[in-house]
Amino acid sequence: AQKVTQAQTEISVVEKEDVTLDCVYETRDTTYYLFWYKQPPSGELVFLIRRNSFDEQNEISGRYSWNFQKSTSSFNFTITASQVVDSAVYFCALSESRNSNSGYALNFGKGTSLLVTP
Amino acid sequence: GAGVSQTPSNKVTEKGKYVELRCDPISGHTALYWYRQSLGQGPEFLIYFQGTGAADDSGLPNDRFFAVRPEGSVSTLKIQRTERGDSAVYLCASSLGETRTDTQYFGPGTRLTVL
């Protein structure tokens, strides 16, 4: 079963528009972590944010903001005043324990490809 | 400081051949992960090392895949008798490993093409 769902496959916006990328997750753990990564055309995954399941405060970092809602199992990502450099594939990921000896392997969604045009 | 490095960046091989992919984690990171990313998909977990030992290899698709980390730093992912379906980008990530909450930092990946 898919643990992380990113329903938007592709989004295209014009520069300076705001855009929200949706992420819905599924877990039975009470303690878990959620992440967003950016994958630009160069291919390297760039860490953006980590949230733990006990902290539902929304976070803002410059033009980026994240809305975590446990009631709806969602962790959405908004880019304000988008720029061409924001064009990339964005992945939401869930980190939960797989077994007592494991680290927190990440379960990724399929990603949302964002294209920002001038 | 230096990030996670992976070599080679690209590898083209023929079906049935053996390949090795190398990952050099961030210095001081004890946890190391391998993921595989197929076209249009998110990365999928393969194996996790804490130090020298493979603590979780549940993501390895079959026994043709094997990974080692003999000195607790560099890791090598080995694929025997490659198949066309093994074509993907293989990503390595490392984290401090001091707590299970540490953020994973990814390398640029190795693009494997099996002809």
Side-chain angles (χ1 to χ4, degrees):
Chain A
Q2 184 72 32
K3 288 180 178 274
V4 177
T5 301
Q6 295 180 255
Q8 304 147 309
T9 305
E10 294 181 355
I11 299 177
S12 183
V13 300
V14 177
E15 207 170 19
K16 297 184 184 176
E17 286 186 10
D18 299 347
V19 58
T20 295
L21 310 181
D22 298 334
C23 173
V24 174
Y25 62 92
E26 177 186 330
T27 181
R28 294 181 180 179
D29 283 3
T30 54
T31 302
Y32 54 89
Y33 291 78
L34 294 161
F35 298 76
W36 277 93
Y37 283 84
K38 174 182 180 180
Q39 189 172 44
S42 61
E44 191 160 343
L45 279 162
V46 177
F47 165 74
L48 295 178
I49 191 170
R50 180 186 75 193
R51 266 341 236 174
N52 74 57
S53 53
F54 297 107
D55 183 0
E56 289 192 69
Q57 277 193 333
N58 291 328
E59 183 157 339
I60 298 175
S61 176
R63 296 185 296 107
Y64 295 169
S65 62
W66 291 269
N67 183 355
F68 176 30
Q69 293 195 347
K70 284 180 76 171
S71 61
T72 56
S73 296
S74 66
F75 186 43
N76 296 337
F77 173 31
T78 297
I79 302 174
T80 302
S82 59
Q83 300 176 1
V84 172
V85 293
D86 295 328
S87 296
V89 180
Y90 291 85
F91 290 97
C92 179
L94 169 69
S95 175
E96 53 183 359
S97 176
R98 294 168 69 88
N99 62 56
S100 61
N101 294 321
S102 75
Y104 276 134
L106 296 174
N107 286 293
F108 285 86
K110 293 187 177 183
T112 296
S113 178
L114 174 65
L115 177 63
V116 182
T117 56
Chain B
V4 178
S5 62
Q6 292 185 246
T7 55
S9 55
N10 280 285
K11 177 69 177 178
V12 180
T13 190
E14 293 179 345
K15 180 173 178 284
K17 299 290 188 181
Y18 167 84
V19 297
E20 290 190 351
L21 312 179
R22 175 189 167 109
C23 171
D24 208 331
I26 293 172
S27 178
H29 280 194
T30 61
L32 186 147
Y33 300 78
W34 283 98
Y35 293 83
R36 179 168 71 173
Q37 186 175 20
S38 301
L39 192 62
Q41 303 293 317
E44 294 179 324
F45 169 75
L46 295 176
I47 187 169
Y48 155 68
F49 287 90
Q50 181 58 257
T52 60
D56 182 0
D57 64 359
S58 62
L60 294 177
N62 51 61
D63 60 6
R64 295 187 297 105
F65 288 75
F66 188 71
V68 296
R69 195 186 184 197
E71 297 179 356
S73 178
V74 171
S75 175
T76 304
L77 178 65
K78 308 180 181 194
I79 310 174
Q80 298 178 321
R81 305 182 304 280
T82 51
E83 299 177 356
R84 293 197 178 88
D86 298 335
S87 297
V89 176
Y90 289 81
L91 296 166
C92 176
S94 70
S95 71
L96 278 171
E98 292 174 352
T99 74
R100 299 167 76 188
T101 67
D102 296 321
T103 295
Q104 296 176 31
Y105 295 93
F106 284 80
T110 293
R111 182 176 299 278
L112 175 66
T113 303
V114 182
L115 302 176

